[in-house]
Amino acid sequence: MLSVTQMNAFLGNTLQLLRRSIELGGFPPELYEYLSRPKRILAVSIPVRLDGGGLAFFEGYRVQHNDALGPYKGGIRFHPEVSLADDVALATIMTLKDSLAGIPYGGAKGAVRVDPRRLSPRELEELSRGYVRAVAPLIGDELDIPAPDVGTNSQIMAWMADEYSKIAGRNVPGVFTAKPPELWGNPVREYSTGLGVAVIAVYAAKALWGSSDGKTAAIQGFGNVGRWTAYWLEKMGVKVVAVSDVNGTVYKRGGLVAAELIEKNRNARGPDLLSQVAKYNDASIAQDPGAVFGIDADILVPAALENAITEDNVKLVRAKLVVEGANGPTTPEAEKALYERGVVVVPDVLANAGGVVMSYLEWVENLQWVMWDEEETRARLEKIMADNFKRVHQRWVQEKGWTVRDAAYVIAVERIYRAMKARGWI
Ligand code: NAD
């Protein structure tokens, strides 16, 4: 680790997973020395003139972890508690996620320590443009391509792409992804992560039980990932029996009908959708958001936040298949308990990669100034996700005693290792 980075628990866990996969895969220990350090860290300070008149300074970072496989790629997080160690951990995970997805990217991540909800739209725009000016020398459409993450969205990407284009003196669509369709974005991006989770869940169900038809699913979280996972699972013939958000859990044994409502509310934010789903299905909302874990369903999709399934609630879980829609929703202790009970956990790096795979597709469109229609884009996305699943599954069945996460991480590390070896870095 670089000495400027202060260790924290998140980075510690990330490095532990990295070390384990390097040992399991039989790679040289030197590889750990390489991958436990980011290649470059940029720390910046962004001044914003506040509406009230004062000047505020926000601290930001761009961490470029590894570019053996291609240009750096990773989101920008706006969050009041983000630290450099978090950013290093997230950049490391991006290197692995991009590698596993088979796309030509290395890993990076950006962050600004700010609570975006406390800024006015004008202040937020100034901060977004200021961040781009600060990191501009290090990013570019064939150098480092950021995207949204927690606290950032397609509007922020539009401001950022515009600011970068002003600096370059020409339109540079490929420097940011997940932009709005009006600015060279692709409409599939909105639901790409949920679609990817559903594709992976269906493939995993087929691998475990021979078919996914009529299988049941419970989904924790009804935001972007949770609701589009529900939508696509329903379309793919899986019965979604429960969905939850911070306010509670809606359950209907025979299966909820939600796809139409989700489609109709595709741009809506906030908690109202869950109550609409309850009303439409004549079901009630159990006030306990945690009730979703104890639902009798074949598949459980945690799609809310990290550390959702823990040592404390893992005994409630009745599903035989857990598909991680969120990042880091299962703690290592909970995963161990699930493994011992024969429950299969499909990890985040595989299951929720639909967003970054869609970013890759948007980037390919942007570099060539072409625009695929929704159906064509979706078919490409689904194929990449399915191929990723098959690779991980094949490795997992070969290696006795491995979790699916072990198989995914080892495949990811292997691809990076081969590229580094071919380049003569190691
Ligand atoms: P979001 O803010 O749109 O939705 C989060 C949802 O979780 C909300 O419905 C919220 O009510 C619910 N929630 C929060 N705490 C809960 C609790 N205790 N019980 C039940 N529900 C709870 O966020 P999102 O974009 O859907 O992201 C969700 C997760 O997926 C995050 O871990 C994120 O990092 C990850 N992820 C998102 C994307 C993407 O493209 N949006 C891609 C990859 C990974």
Side-chain angles (χ1 to χ4, degrees):
M1 212 185 60
L2 284 174
S3 59
V4 293
T5 319
Q6 267 196 335
M7 178 62 84
N8 68 6
F10 181 30
L11 182 56
N13 285 342
T14 306
L15 294 182
Q16 208 180 319
L17 277 174
L18 180 67
R19 191 188 286 277
R20 177 178 160 85
S21 50
I22 286 170
E23 282 167 10
L24 278 178
F27 304 110
E30 264 186 3
L31 186 62
Y32 178 79
E33 297 306 320
Y34 243 110
L35 295 180
S36 57
R37 295 168 170 81
K39 204 161 173 182
R40 189 179 289 126
I41 291 176
L42 177 65
V44 300
S45 158
I46 309 148
V48 172
R49 177 69 59 193
L50 299 177
D51 292 347
L55 195 60
F57 291 87
F58 296 93
E59 186 167 316
Y61 316 105
R62 184 70 185 168
V63 174
Q64 297 180 332
H65 177 258
N66 185 285
D67 65 345
L69 289 171
Y72 296 104
K73 179 93 192 96
I76 300 169
R77 178 170 293 199
F78 283 3
H79 194 277
E81 276 143 34
V82 78
S83 67
L84 179 57
D86 291 330
D87 211 32
V88 171
L90 291 164
T92 310
I93 292 169
M94 282 312 297
T95 299
L96 296 166
K97 196 183 274 194
D98 293 339
S99 171
L100 181 67
I103 51 183
Y105 288 140
K109 202 82 176 191
V112 177
R113 205 178 306 158
V114 60
D115 184 349
R117 290 167 309 179
R118 300 182 67 155
L119 297 185
S120 70
R122 191 204 58 78
E123 291 165 344
L124 189 61
E125 179 175 346
E126 197 171 315
L127 177 68
S128 306
R129 290 182 184 275
Y131 179 79
V132 172
R133 287 194 299 275
V135 303
L138 290 195
I139 63 171
D141 59 354
E142 294 196 345
L143 189 57
D144 182 350
I145 304 115
D149 189 65
V150 175
T152 50
N153 55 28
S154 60
Q155 174 59 71
I156 292 179
M157 294 306 110
W159 289 327
M160 290 185 166
D162 180 64
E163 190 65 24
Y164 188 86
S165 296
K166 279 182 183 160
I167 296 168
R170 65 189 165 91
N171 274 313
V172 187
V175 64
F176 290 92
T177 56
K179 302 177 295 295
E182 297 78 14
L183 267 191
W184 322 292
N186 187 304
V188 174
R189 178 62 181 93
E190 171 66 16
Y191 57 76
S192 55
T193 304
L195 170 61
V197 174
V199 168
I200 296 290
V202 164
Y203 270 89
K206 282 182 184 155
L208 285 182
W209 303 307
S211 164
S212 62
D213 284 342
K215 293 293 173 198
T216 54
I219 300 171
Q220 184 219 16
F222 210 47
N224 177 279
V225 180
R227 64 180 65 172
W228 288 112
T229 300
Y231 176 93
W232 287 106
L233 282 177
E234 195 177 317
K235 294 271 174 202
M236 291 172 188
V238 172
K239 238 194 268 177
V240 178
V241 292
V243 293
S244 75
D245 71 7
V246 268
N247 301 307
T249 302
V250 178
Y251 171 63
K252 190 166 185 185
R253 202 174 161 177
L256 294 160
V257 177
E260 224 174 276
L261 285 172
I262 294 166
E263 174 80 64
K264 225 167 63 190
N265 290 277
R266 61 187 296 152
N267 296 317
R269 289 284 167 271
D272 298 350
L273 193 57
L274 195 80
S275 34
Q276 281 190 55
V277 169
K279 207 162 136 207
Y280 191 80
N281 286 279
D282 209 10
S284 55
I285 301 185
Q287 294 303 310
D288 176 12
V292 71
F293 297 117
I295 299 286
D296 186 11
D298 302 302
I299 307 166
L300 174 64
V301 181
L305 292 174
E306 63 280 357
N307 298 336
I309 307 175
T310 65
E311 233 171 339
D312 297 334
N313 64 9
V314 66
K315 51 190 168 306
L316 298 177
V317 174
R318 295 165 77 178
K320 285 275 170 266
L321 172 64
V322 174
V323 181
E324 292 187 335
N327 281 319
T330 318
T331 65
E333 299 77 28
E335 182 163 18
K336 188 163 177 281
L338 291 169
Y339 178 81
E340 281 163 5
R341 276 166 39 195
V343 179
V344 172
V345 179
V346 182
D348 45 11
V349 281
L350 172 63
N352 70 25
V356 73
V357 171
M358 183 57 237
S359 274
Y360 161 67
L361 295 172
E362 181 181 326
W363 177 72
V364 170
E365 288 182 280
N366 291 167
L367 288 182
Q368 306 172 75
W369 293 97
V370 299
M371 292 168 99
W372 299 319
D373 67 27
E374 207 168 333
E375 228 167 280
E376 185 176 353
T377 313
R378 205 156 60 217
R380 287 175 191 264
L381 174 62
E382 289 187 29
K383 181 172 184 315
I384 295 176
M385 294 303 290
D387 289 348
N388 292 345
F389 177 82
K390 287 176 200 159
R391 273 205 309 274
V392 175
H393 180 251
Q394 200 179 22
R395 186 70 186 256
W396 177 61
V397 293
Q398 273 170 8
E399 307 281 358
K400 296 288 159 252
W402 283 22
T403 62
V404 185
R405 195 182 312 276
D406 291 334
Y409 265 66
V410 170
I411 291 172
V413 169
E414 186 159 37
R415 189 167 166 243
I416 302 160
Y417 174 60
R418 281 171 185 265
M420 288 172 67
K421 209 161 165 1
R423 286 170 181 269
W425 291 0
I426 203 159

